[in-house]
């Protein structure tokens, strides 16, 4: 067998239905079934050879696009981090010779009682910030999605007010004033409570520092945008199966929000552990250091020209933050289908 099949032509006695003219005597047509039939010689080799060249070109283009970002990260990310580790092992004087001191700065920071207090304040601030300004917007976004569409647009607009960070901080500083602030007026005149200390109380100051984040929390808009991207057929199928409101939230809404929650949770942990501007402007670390975060104490060390100690404290904060991020990445499931 040669792998050829013969298509009968119009030869012989009959006419070909596809050929009205009845071209007689035409030779049978042979069609080859071999894989290379009908392909110009060398074309297959050319196609195979073009693939590596195209792959190399794509790798080169990808490297050219990544190089600026890599250089930027190397210059403003990894190089300062490496230098911070180097400086923390020296006396890091502003003037004069720099000498290697080993672990002296780390031991000094480890024994400093203010460092422990600063980490305690930062930990409480982080827990309050994640519990109030991270979890509550998830619930609010899910409940808002049950509202009519026209109401959702207005709520998204109000939730994403383009306010300046410094301007809103100064505004809340006035509102928390214990003598003439708006919150004091609400507490005494509307709720008929006794005058509240607000930011002047060591027991309340961290809560009131976190409270504005409940009202103005931009990622809540991200939750709503993610929920709007969930196909309505998922909810319709769940309703057909008899699922109620809370069952749909637990089996559809929350799993589909899981990748976004995972990403924003990392940002929330990093941002809360590095809190600086808002507590500094609102309280300056008071009263009595009750709102002094780690970065605020690091700033005080820098102002005192204790650069090596400040760098060692920054390394401590970096290690703690990285441990929290690794734990979160290890135990938090991101796949919505798992």
């Amino acid at each position: 067998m040669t792998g050829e099949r013969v298509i009968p032509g119009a030869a012989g006695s009959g006419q070909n239905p596809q050929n009205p003219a009845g071209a007689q005597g035409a030779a049978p047509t042979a069609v080859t079934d071999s894989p290379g039939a009908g392909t110009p010689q060398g074309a297959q080799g050319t196609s195979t050879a073009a693939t590596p060249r195209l792959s190399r070109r794509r790798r080169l283009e990808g490297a050219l696009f990544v190089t600026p970002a890599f250089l930027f990260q190397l210059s403003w990310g990894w190089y300062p981090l490496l230098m911070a580790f180097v400086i923390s092992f020296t006396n890091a004087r502003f003037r004069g010779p720099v000498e290697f001191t080993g672990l002296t700065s780390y031991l000094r920071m480890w024994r400093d009682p203010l460092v422990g207090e600063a980490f305690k304040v930062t930990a409480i601030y982080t827990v309050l910030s994640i519990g109030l300004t991270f979890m509550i917007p998830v619930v609010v976004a899910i409940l808002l999605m049950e509202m009519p569409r026209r109401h959702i647009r207005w709520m998204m607009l109000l939730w994403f007010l383009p306010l300046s960070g410094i301007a809103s901080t100064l505004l809340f500083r006035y509102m928390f004033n214990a003598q003439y602030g708006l919150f004091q007026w609400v507490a005494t005149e509307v709720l008929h409570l006794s005058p509240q200390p607000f930011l002047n109380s060591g027991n309340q100051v961290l809560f009131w520092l976190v409270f504005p984040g409940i009202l103005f929390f931009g990622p809540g808009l991200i939750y709503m945008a993610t929920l709007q991207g969930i196909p309505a057929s998922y909810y319709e199928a769940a309703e057909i199966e008899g699922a109620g409101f809370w069952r749909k939230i637990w089996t559809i809404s929350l799993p589909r929000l899981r990748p976004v929650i995972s990403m924003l949770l990392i940002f929330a942990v990093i941002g809360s552990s590095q809190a600086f501007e808002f507590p500094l402007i609102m309280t300056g670390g008071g009263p009595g250091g009750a709102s002094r975060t780690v970065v605020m104490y690091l700033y005080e060390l820098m102002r005192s020209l204790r650069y090596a100690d400040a760098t060692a404290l920054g390394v401590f904060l970096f290690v703690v933050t990285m441990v929290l991020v690794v734990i979160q990445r290890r135990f938090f499931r991101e796949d919505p289908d798992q």
Side-chain angles (χ1 to χ4, degrees), residues 129-144 159 213-214 217-221 223-224 227 257:
S129 179
I130 294 176
L132 296 178
T133 66
F134 184 79
M135 300 307 300
I136 291 180
V138 176
V139 179
V140 173
I142 293 175
L143 296 179
L144 287 179
W159 209 345
I214 303 176
F217 190 68
L221 187 67
Y223 298 142
M224 297 187 66
L227 291 171
L257 281 175

Side-chain angles (χ1 to χ4, degrees), residues 16 37 61 133 147 149 153 172 180 200 239 255 294:
N16 187 355
E61 292 174 350
T133 66
M147 300 174 61
R149 289 290 180 181
R153 297 189 185 97
F172 276 104
Y180 50 81
N200 296 327
E239 292 175 357
V294 174

